[in-house]
Structures are given as structure tokens and as C-alpha cells.
């Protein structure tokens, strides 16, 4: 009943993820079909997530989760973002039942329940394999926002003004997005040149987003919006019809229409999704997040190939607005 304490490299090098459940080891490999997981173990009721909003942060995920949870046939998990697979579980002998308990105790049998850990698509490439081992039929939802607008939102949250000191050493807090972008693009060009010349394989995108950053700043705020590489990886693990791709801009503009599509994708009965009460946007900052023309052009070039690949996979023209 415990996750094996596998080193990260071994799990990725073998392209396999395993855990023990009901006294049997279950492994996920892209080249081997999986049977659905058991509905229960002796003496224990198990509940697997029916859907997983795997991406992206700062793309309207809380707005989407609040709307979806209003449906009577959808239940909240123990919390919006469970963060089981992206917080060092490779090195902790954590029982898989701890994760499943987030769903078993919070949903009636007829209700759907899911996880909304929206950094999962970019936090670690092994997460796709673990989810496939857990539930090969899981429905996957991806919110896609203009990468530059998303960067500005993440910067306001993690790199600007008073927020910066919560995430980084004070000496690393530049106070303006233009200095931040220039320093980070320089770091990426020197440390991960394949991202700048758009020749990097998917694995490099994952590595460069988390391996380090210049002067303690959050390189991942730029790298994590290379959607095309993440999507290439995930659609190599799961079939295309298990994904729902949503334009964040369209969600903000026409939430009722988008939620009707989400309900149909999840097999839910039609429902009048009322817009939730306005909430304070904790990602806003008084610090300027206006990009200079030079940095705006540099970022457009940086994301160009990824945006084209994203459109080819999803049909959504990110960055077009």
C-alpha cells in the first residue's frame, strides 16, 4: 500500500511508473495497455479521480473549478489542488491511499470528483505516467492562456513588489517585469539554448523549467508556458479524446458556453452554470507589469514555435489576441 521509493531518474529512464495497491503492483508504460484500477480492496473503499485539470496555473483555473463544482453531480475533493504527485513523492514512502482518500470521503457514488493541481502538466514529466497507472481512462482538462499574459500574471504573483520576498531572496526582487524578463531570457539562452533556438525536446523543457534560475528568480514563469512541448509529451501517454482544451480568454468571455462543453465532455447533465461571485484577484500587483516593446518582441519570438505546435494539437491560437 505504499509508493515505492524510486529515484526520479529511474522512473523516467525506464518510462515506467509503479505503485502497489490491493497487494499488487501496477505499472504504467506508454507501450503497454492497462486495465482499469480496482473499485475496492478488501476492507477499503477506493475512489479514483474521474477528471484532472492538469494545466495551467494563472489561466483561470480557480474560476473554472468554482463553476464546475456548482453542478450537483460534481463534488469537491478534499481541496482544490491536492499536489500529491508534484511535491517530492519519489523520495517519500507515501501511501497511495492518502491521495485516494481525498476523493473517497468527499463524493457521493453518483458524483464526479477530480483533482485541479494545475501545475501537473509542467511540473514533472513523470506525472503523466503516474496518472495513467492510477486511472487510464481519466478525463484531462487543459486551460490555455496567452503565454505572455500568463507570464505577467505569474510575475505579479511571484516576482513583483511585496509578493517577491515570499518566494525569492530580497536581493533577487528587481521590482519590474522588464528587468526580470531580460535576466531570465539571458539565463535560458546560456543554460538551455535549445529553448531559445526552439530545437529542444520535451524533456529539456521540463528540466530547464525546474533545474535552476538566475539569482533565485522564477525561470519557470517563462518556461512553463511552452505549451507545445508539454502537450506533445502528454498526448504520447493518453489518447487525444481524453483531453478537453479550453481557451482561457474564451472562458472569461463566454463562461456559460465553455462550461456547457465541459459538462458534455465529462458526461454531465446540462446545467445552468451561474457566474460565481467576484473574488479578489490575489495575483494583481501595484508594481508595473507592462512590457517594453523590445521584451514583448523577444517573448513573442521565444513562444512562436510552441504556439504553432499548440494550435496544431488543440485548435486554439494562443497568443492571437
Amino acid at each position: 500500500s505504499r509508493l515505492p521509493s524510486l529515484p526520479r531518474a529511474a522512473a523516467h529512464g525506464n518510462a515506467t511508473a509503479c505503485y502497489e495497491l490491493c497487494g499488487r503492483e501496477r505499472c504504467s508504460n506508454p507501450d503497454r495497455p492497462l486495465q482499469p484500477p480496482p473499485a475496492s480492496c478488501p476492507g477499503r473503499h477506493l475512489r479514483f479521480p474521474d477528471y484532472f485539470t492538469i494545466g495551467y496555473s494563472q489561466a483561470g483555473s480557480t474560476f473554472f473549478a468554482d463553476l464546475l463544482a456548482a453542478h450537483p453531480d460534481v463534488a469537491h475533493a478534499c481541496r482544490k489542488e491536492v499536489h500529491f504527485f508534484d511535491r517530492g513523492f519519489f523520495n517519500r514512502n507515501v501511501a497511495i491511499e492518502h491521495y485516494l482518500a481525498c476523493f473517497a470521503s468527499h463524493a457521493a457514488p453518483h458524483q464526479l470528483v477530480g483533482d485541479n493541481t494545475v501545475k501537473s502538466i509542467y511540473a514533472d514529466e513523470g506525472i503523466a505516467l503516474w496518472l495513467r497507472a492510477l486511472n487510464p481512462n481519466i478525463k484531462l482538462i487543459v486551460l490555455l492562456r496567452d503565454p505572455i499574459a500568463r507570464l505577467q500574471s505569474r510575475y505579479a504573483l511571484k516576482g513583483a513588489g511585496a509578493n517577491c520576498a515570499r518566494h525569492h531572496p530580497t536581493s533577487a526582487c528587481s521590482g519590474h517585469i522588464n528587468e526580470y524578463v531580460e535576466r531570465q531570457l539571458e539565463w535560458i539562452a546560456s543554460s538551455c539554448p535549445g529553448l531559445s533556438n526552439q530545437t529542444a525536446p520535451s524533456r529539456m523543457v521540463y528540466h530547464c523549467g525546474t533545474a535552476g534560475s538566475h539569482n533565485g528568480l522564477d525561470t519557470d514563469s517563462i518556461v512553463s508556458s511552452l505549451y507545445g512541448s508539454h502537450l506533445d509529451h502528454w498526448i504520447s501517454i493518453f489518447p487525444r479524446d481524453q483531453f478537453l482544451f479550453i481557451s482561457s480568454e474564451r472562458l472569461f468571455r463566454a463562461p456559460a458556453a465553455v462550461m456547457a462543453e465541459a459538462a458534455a465532455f465529462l458526461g454531465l447533465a446540462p446545467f445552468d452554470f451561474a457566474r460565481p461571485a467576484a473574488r479578489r484577484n490575489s495575483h494583481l500587483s501595484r508594481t508595473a507589469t507592462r512590457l517594453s516593446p523590445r521584451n514583448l518582441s523577444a517573448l513573442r519570438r521565444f513562444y512562436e514555435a510552441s504556439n504553432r505546435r499548440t494550435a496544431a494539437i488543440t485548435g486554439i491560437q494562443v497568443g492571437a489576441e
Side-chain angles (χ1 to χ4, degrees):
S1 63
R2 288 195 171 282
L3 287 169
S5 189
L6 293 176
R8 186 179 301 264
H12 290 184
N14 296 330
T16 301
C18 303
Y19 66 88
E20 184 181 323
L21 184 64
C22 300
R24 295 173 52 198
E25 186 178 66
R26 290 179 51 78
C27 293
S28 174
N29 185 297
D31 300 321
R32 183 170 60 198
L34 276 174
Q35 296 300 314
S40 64
C41 291
R44 291 177 300 187
H45 172 66
L46 302 179
R47 183 66 189 265
F48 294 80
D50 300 295
Y51 67 90
F52 202 121
T53 307
I54 57 175
Y56 278 83
S57 57
Q58 283 73 55
S61 59
T62 299
F63 181 50
F64 176 81
D66 287 348
L67 283 168
L68 187 59
H71 195 291
D73 293 332
V74 175
H76 279 294
C78 57
R79 51 189 174 274
K80 176 194 169 228
E81 300 186 30
V82 184
H83 286 290
F84 183 79
F85 293 104
D86 62 327
R87 290 189 172 165
F89 74 100
F90 283 99
N91 300 316
R92 301 177 301 157
N93 230 3
V94 180
I96 193 74
E97 284 90 342
H98 291 176
Y99 178 63
L100 302 180
C102 274
F103 311 103
S105 59
H106 290 77
H110 73 280
Q111 290 180 305
L112 298 184
V113 63
D115 192 339
N116 296 286
T117 306
V118 288
K119 66 182 295 184
S120 298
I121 195 169
Y122 66 84
D124 189 290
E125 62 180 326
I127 293 176
L129 287 168
W130 285 96
L131 286 186
R132 187 175 181 274
L134 192 70
N135 181 0
N137 300 313
I138 195 167
K139 299 282 190 177
L140 301 168
I141 299 169
V142 185
L143 299 162
L144 297 162
R145 185 180 183 182
D146 178 314
I148 296 176
R150 180 173 177 270
L151 163 62
Q152 291 171 301
S153 180
R154 279 181 65 83
Y155 176 80
L157 172 66
K158 302 188 72 173
N163 286 330
C164 182
R166 295 173 51 201
H167 301 279
H168 309 297
T170 303
S171 61
C173 298
S174 65
H176 199 286
I177 194 171
N178 285 300
E179 182 179 347
Y180 168 83
V181 168
E182 290 162 7
R183 293 165 71 186
Q184 292 308 293
L185 289 179
E186 288 173 3
W187 183 91
I188 291 167
S190 62
S191 301
C192 302
L195 300 191
S196 296
N197 62 30
Q198 304 181 352
T199 61
S202 294
R203 175 163 294 184
M204 184 179 289
V205 174
Y206 284 96
H207 172 76
C208 293
T210 58
S213 59
H214 182 57
N215 288 343
L217 286 178
D218 180 38
T219 310
D220 194 44
S221 287
I222 292 179
V223 175
S224 63
S225 289
L226 290 168
Y227 307 141
S229 294
H230 304 142
L231 294 171
D232 268 333
H233 173 62
W234 280 75
I235 64 174
S236 74
I237 308 296
F238 289 96
R240 174 63 178 78
D241 61 4
Q242 285 180 225
F243 291 88
L244 175 66
F245 301 112
I246 296 173
S247 162
S248 298
E249 287 76 15
R250 183 166 174 258
L251 172 65
F252 301 147
R253 189 171 58 242
V258 171
M259 295 311 299
E261 293 166 7
F265 171 72
L266 295 172
L268 296 168
F271 180 72
D272 182 12
F273 290 96
R275 182 184 289 268
R279 64 168 69 216
R280 179 181 177 274
N281 188 346
S282 60
H283 301 169
L284 296 179
S285 169
R286 293 172 185 259
T287 305
T289 57
R290 184 179 296 276
L291 290 159
S292 68
R294 175 186 172 186
N295 284 330
L296 186 60
S297 295
L299 287 168
R300 284 175 174 161
R301 289 193 300 273
F302 181 76
Y303 290 124
E304 182 180 9
S306 176
N307 288 352
R308 286 199 302 269
R309 181 60 183 149
T310 301
I313 295 171
T314 69
I316 296 174
Q317 299 286 340
V318 292
E321 298 188 24

